[in-house]
Amino acid sequence: MTIKQEPFLRAPRSVVVFASLLLVVHIIRNLVSVETDEMLLINFAFIPAFFSSTTAGDFYPLQWFVSPFSYALMHAGWSHLLMNVLWLLAFGSPVAKRFGTLRFILFCLLAAPAGALAHFLSYGNSGLPMIGASAIISALTAAAVRFAFEPDGPLMNRANDRAVFNPAPSLIDNMRNRQALIFVVLWFALNFVFGAGATLVGPGMQIAWQAHIGGFIAGIILFALFDPVKKSLS
């Protein structure tokens, strides 16, 4: 028996560390008191109203500088966490392999505030905390779409570990790929459906589909800036 065939164990170390960090944060939140967890949410979840007020930063300074990033490490429940971790392993792994550790980390760090900004533009006065790694994972999904569905990409050549490093087509050519286009359309449709019907996932907590869209758009833009694979001249 070989363990090389296990998807989780084949995931890059950066992805495994990220998934483990999400797990550790959730375990800690489940071990602390309700009062402590509420303070963690106030300080580290993204709350749009704090950015609409000129005085909120005097009481919760971490919100201004930390929460646009830290909200992505918190989840509403085990099902929410599990869904994001599985999606991270599936779509974050090929991107992490292609980008390398440093590019992967920077990519994720930029995707988080992009999701927070999209949420803020939609709910600027909301006092509900927004949490979850979905904006980052949406960005990673967008990045994976840019190369994974190509005929010589990793989805079509699972046995070839080097397929993840094949040059990506232009965005226009990418959207001419039927599989990639169908996936993107379904992804947006599902986000609109679930977003319209169930943005609340826990008491006093909100995860908005707008943050997912913001992350996805950021992923499309950032991919061209971060992709280390040079395009073919042929």
Side-chain angles (χ1 to χ4, degrees), residues 2-195:
T2 173
I3 62 173
K4 189 177 182 180
Q5 300 302 319
E6 297 296 329
F8 181 81
L9 295 177
R10 293 185 66 186
R13 183 177 300 176
S14 54
V15 172
V16 175
V17 170
F18 186 18
S20 300
L21 178 60
L22 298 179
L23 177 62
V24 169
V25 169
H26 195 66
I27 291 175
I28 291 175
R29 289 187 58 218
N30 277 270
L31 291 177
V32 300
S33 65
V34 174
E35 293 77 13
T36 300
D37 188 49
E38 288 179 352
M39 287 303 302
L40 290 175
L41 281 172
I42 290 174
N43 283 283
F44 297 104
F46 182 79
I47 303 177
F50 285 0
F51 294 83
S52 300
S53 170
T54 58
T55 60
D58 296 335
F59 300 99
Y60 302 102
L62 288 178
Q63 271 288 338
W64 287 83
F65 303 105
V66 177
S67 69
F69 304 92
S70 60
Y71 80 91
L73 301 178
M74 310 174 78
H75 289 81
W78 285 105
S79 59
H80 182 207
L81 173 65
L82 179 61
M83 178 180 64
N84 274 347
V85 167
L86 291 177
W87 202 269
L88 170 65
L89 291 172
F91 291 93
S93 293
V95 177
K97 290 177 182 178
R98 186 180 182 95
F99 282 4
T101 299
L102 181 58
R103 289 173 187 263
F104 176 78
I105 293 173
L106 292 176
F107 183 90
C108 292
L109 286 175
L110 291 176
L117 176 61
H119 182 70
F120 175 78
L121 293 176
S122 302
Y123 300 100
N125 295 315
S126 174
L128 292 176
M130 192 268 289
I131 56 177
S134 297
I136 293 178
I137 295 170
S138 296
L140 292 169
T141 301
V145 169
R146 292 286 283 108
F147 64 90
F149 288 95
E150 294 305 305
D152 56 354
L155 283 180
M156 305 302 173
N157 300 273
R158 296 174 184 269
N160 181 7
D161 290 337
R162 300 296 302 174
V164 73
F165 298 109
N166 287 324
S170 67
L171 182 58
I172 293 177
D173 288 340
N174 185 213
M175 288 299 98
R176 288 173 178 163
N177 181 307
R178 185 178 179 182
Q179 289 85 357
L181 181 59
I182 291 175
F183 178 87
V184 171
V185 170
L186 289 176
W187 186 91
F188 272 90
L190 287 173
N191 273 276
F192 282 124
V193 169
F194 286 110

